[in-house]
Amino acid sequence: MSLLVVGLSHRSAPVSVLERAALSADAQTKLLQDTVAAEPATEAAVLATCNRIELYADVDKFHAGVAELSTLLAQHSGVGLEELTPYLYVHYEDRAVHHLFSVACGLDSMVVGEGQILGQIKDSLARAQELHTAGRLLNDLFQQALRVGKRAHSETGIDRAGQSLVTFGLEQLAVSAAVPAWAEGKKALVIGAGSMSSLAAATLARSGIAEVVVANRTFERAERLAQILTEAEDNTTTARAVSMDAIPGELTRADVIVSCTGATGLVLTAETVAQAVEGRTGAPVTEIAGSGRTAEDDSARTAPRTTGTPLPPTSVGTDENCPLDLAAVQPGFSVMGEAAVAGMDAATLEQHAAWAAGGTLDRPGRRTPEADAELITALAATAATVGRVPERRKPEPVAERPAPSLFLLDLAMPRDIDAAVHRLAGVRLVDIESLAEASADAPMAADVDQVRRIVSDEVAAFGAAQRAAHITPTVVALRTMAADVVAGEIARLDGRLPDLDERQRGEIRQAVHRVVDKLLHAPTVRVKQLAAEPGGAGYADALRTLFDLDPETVAAVSRAGDSTDKKDRPA
């Protein structure tokens, strides 16, 4: 087994990179075809979800395989290899198996324990089977991953450690309210009719939403989803389908919008959403100053990570005669804030503090030497603790955000809804980036440890089964050679003793076969046991060498086994 996985996920890459690297269905197909056409790989499968892109392959060379798979991912994602490489991770052999099993159990999901990943793994396997890029290894691997994931959910309480991404997203929209109470009486517009959108529509219906409107590029799929929702048992939600052209009108009626399409561009722009809110309220929509998202989100994300003296409040002043090298200050950062001065030496800090106190900055009550000393101390503490420029500037004070009248959940990758919607007053947008931040502090259930033990046990069992299967063609070839030797000797005996009757010939044949079977039984059983242990791959080579087995005969047995497997596989 030479299993290799190269990929990137929400754990290794920012959402902006994942968004750009997202693969369409056509791109996934071409990636699979090009992978198996490449020299190092004989099998391939792609697992592409809203927060991960992984390429699995059976390779004959590790380093060449990593280079080839990385290059192919870059080519088909459209992200340059040099830019993509820092975010890629690589797993090989048992570590690759462990990774996929962990993914299947929801341990590697953005929301730990979510079960939707099992459907995505099933779809990934079906695609590879349809394109004939999955052979014995990847079929065994992905089917076992599905079984391990189901076992984890049935034997543990991993479901309590998290929810599906849809449920988690709705909880973020509802903020502190229970989803059923928040959803009651509301109208929802679901854009898209794929697996994620269908799950969102069904979840909204179960939560007590009054109406679900489904919009999709293929109207028939939207109609089918609406019909399923309408015919569901114990369902009081009404559902109907509309074309994509009807979305602007539906936006003014809907309270909740969930979007998850495969579109490569934006489905809803900030201008479209602003017009919808204006149509609902009759008043122009304003932007929340200084906020890329909600004020609460920005404050939580950008609070200085220091236990020293907190920075005094600052606001943007003039940069005239500023001692900083302004060319080195990142765009969008205040020259008065900790982002600009992190890492300064003490002398420059003093100059900066003197400039800030004596410049045009309006800071009543803070122009005393004591205030300057306080500023220098605070800045020095920040520089020593942070040690680098923070990712975002500290937000300016903003007015309280009004209660939202429109709720949007964007589950697409790349995004369907313009991120600028975060700045619109009266609107609450939750997207993949918001969910990543919110889930970072989600509590982990004790059941996670139990699932990890299940994964470890299953990885060991899978490895042993694969190693044992690896030696099977050699054992079959050995027994075939033995049968050929017996047949040859029986034929030679028939020529030398033509007077033997059929009963006597049968007794001789049985005796010879029993002798050969008894001689081969213990060695072949033992070699299978030894081959199943770690490091047991060499026993097949030893067997072939000891009995001078023809490598082509062994390969023929393997090909026959693969052919049988393909016939037995479900379509």
Side-chain angles (χ1 to χ4, degrees):
M1 177 181 65
S2 300
L3 177 66
L4 175 66
V5 56
V6 177
L8 66 160
S9 73
H10 64 100
R11 294 185 182 275
S12 70
V15 172
S16 58
V17 174
L18 283 171
E19 186 176 39
R20 291 172 53 213
L23 297 171
S24 65
D26 289 342
Q28 292 178 44
T29 298
K30 191 67 168 63
L31 174 58
L32 286 174
Q33 293 170 338
D34 288 352
T35 301
V36 294
E39 183 180 345
T42 57
E43 302 180 32
V46 173
L47 179 57
T49 71
C50 58
N51 52 30
R52 78 176 61 251
I53 303 163
E54 296 176 343
L55 179 56
Y56 291 78
D58 184 5
V59 299
D60 56 5
K61 298 174 184 176
F62 172 73
H63 294 291
V66 172
E68 186 67 31
L69 267 58
S70 301
T71 300
L72 288 169
L73 274 175
Q75 289 176 351
H76 291 278
S77 68
V79 180
L81 182 59
E82 290 186 0
E83 182 181 358
L84 192 65
T85 298
Y87 304 111
L88 294 177
Y89 47 77
V90 175
H91 298 297
Y92 190 55
E93 295 188 331
D94 284 353
R95 289 300 307 169
V97 177
H98 189 281
H99 175 73
L100 181 59
F101 287 4
S102 297
V103 169
C105 293
L107 292 179
D108 198 60
S109 296
M110 187 180 294
V111 182
V112 174
E114 61 95 9
Q116 188 182 2
I117 187 64
L118 286 173
Q120 293 162 333
I121 291 174
K122 184 177 180 180
D123 292 342
S124 176
L125 174 59
R127 184 184 303 107
Q129 289 176 336
E130 181 181 353
L131 295 171
H132 304 291
T133 64
R136 171 180 286 177
L137 174 60
L138 291 186
N139 270 284
D140 290 349
L141 174 69
F142 275 69
Q143 288 173 357
Q144 186 62 24
L146 292 171
R147 286 190 285 267
V148 173
K150 292 175 182 177
R151 179 189 170 193
H153 284 280
S154 64
E155 294 184 12
T156 75
I158 189 67
D159 292 330
R160 295 193 298 268
Q163 317 92 327
S164 74
L165 206 58
V166 171
T167 305
F168 190 59
L170 293 177
E171 288 183 353
Q172 295 303 303
L173 282 182
V175 194
S176 57
V179 172
W182 165 82
E184 185 178 2
K186 286 184 170 61
K187 298 178 180 179
L189 170 63
V190 176
I191 305 175
S195 58
M196 184 76 82
S197 299
S198 300
L199 177 61
T203 304
L204 285 168
R206 286 196 303 269
S207 299
I209 208 90
E211 180 188 44
V212 175
V213 178
V214 183
N216 192 58
R217 296 190 187 281
T218 305
F219 182 72
E220 290 74 18
R221 294 190 66 183
E223 270 191 321
R224 187 160 59 250
L225 176 55
Q227 182 179 3
I228 292 172
L229 294 174
T230 302
E231 295 175 353
E233 294 182 5
D234 301 327
N235 181 27
T236 59
T237 301
T238 61
R240 58 188 175 88
V242 299
S243 65
M244 296 291 281
D245 295 339
I247 287 178
E250 295 296 336
L251 287 175
T252 61
R253 300 180 63 256
D255 305 295
V256 183
I257 292 94
V258 179
S259 187
C260 186
T261 72
T264 55
L266 292 175
V267 175
L268 297 179
T269 64
E271 181 181 3
T272 301
V273 175
Q275 290 173 351
V277 176
E278 185 175 344
R280 294 167 61 88
T281 63
V285 179
T286 59
E287 289 193 1
I288 303 296
S291 175
R293 301 178 179 277
T294 64
E296 305 94 308
D297 291 340
D298 273 341
S299 298
R301 185 175 61 252
T302 59
R305 288 167 290 199
T306 173
T307 56
T309 307
L311 282 170
T314 61
S315 60
V316 178
T318 178
D319 57 7
E320 184 179 358
N321 299 321
C322 178
L324 293 180
D325 178 10
L326 296 179
V329 178
Q330 291 183 239
F333 290 117
S334 167
V335 295
M336 296 295 180
E338 75 277 10
V341 300
M344 274 189 194
D345 57 57
T348 309
L349 279 174
E350 284 194 36
Q351 294 175 15
H352 184 271
W355 170 79
T360 60
L361 178 63
D362 182 16
R363 295 170 60 218
R366 287 194 178 273
R367 294 175 180 266
T368 64
E370 291 80 8
D372 289 344
E374 180 185 347
L375 175 63
I376 293 171
T377 301
L379 291 175
T382 299
T385 304
V386 177
R388 62 179 179 85
V389 177
E391 293 179 0
R392 302 180 190 273
R393 58 168 293 184
K394 189 172 182 177
E396 306 300 336
V398 296
E400 183 178 353
R401 192 179 184 99
S405 62
L406 186 62
F407 300 85
L408 299 100
L409 177 59
D410 186 359
L411 298 172
M413 183 65 70
R415 72 184 75 215
D416 280 346
I417 303 175
D418 192 346
V421 170
H422 282 293
R423 298 195 298 268
L424 300 181
V427 178
R428 179 168 177 79
L429 169 61
V430 172
D431 53 20
I432 294 296
E433 189 172 6
S434 307
L435 292 173
E437 293 172 359
S439 64
D441 298 324
M444 298 285 285
D447 300 272
V448 169
D449 288 336
Q450 186 178 351
V451 173
R452 286 175 177 154
R453 288 192 293 270
I454 289 176
V455 169
S456 296
D457 292 344
E458 292 285 357
V459 169
F462 183 82
Q466 289 296 309
R467 288 188 292 269
H470 178 70
I471 202 170
T472 298
T474 304
V475 172
V476 172
L478 173 60
R479 288 192 171 275
T480 300
M481 183 192 74
D484 291 342
V485 171
V486 169
E489 290 301 316
I490 294 295
R492 193 168 66 89
L493 185 63
D494 287 344
R496 289 189 173 187
L497 300 173
D499 297 332
L500 292 176
D501 58 33
E502 192 57 36
R503 185 186 63 80
Q504 291 170 329
R505 293 179 192 279
E507 288 291 340
I508 293 173
R509 278 196 298 270
Q510 288 183 7
V512 175
H513 277 295
R514 279 197 298 269
V515 169
V516 172
D517 286 343
K518 287 184 178 180
L519 287 174
L520 290 181
H521 176 73
T524 53
V525 170
R526 184 60 179 146
V527 79
K528 286 183 178 180
Q529 294 172 341
L530 292 171
E533 297 175 0
Y539 285 100
D541 294 333
L543 208 59
R544 286 193 294 269
T545 301
L546 287 171
F547 289 92
D548 195 23
L549 297 176
D550 181 6
E552 181 55 34
T553 302
V554 178
V557 174
S558 298
R559 288 194 294 269
D562 287 340
S563 176
T564 302
D565 284 349
K566 289 178 182 177
K567 291 179 182 178
D568 293 339
R569 286 174 202 144

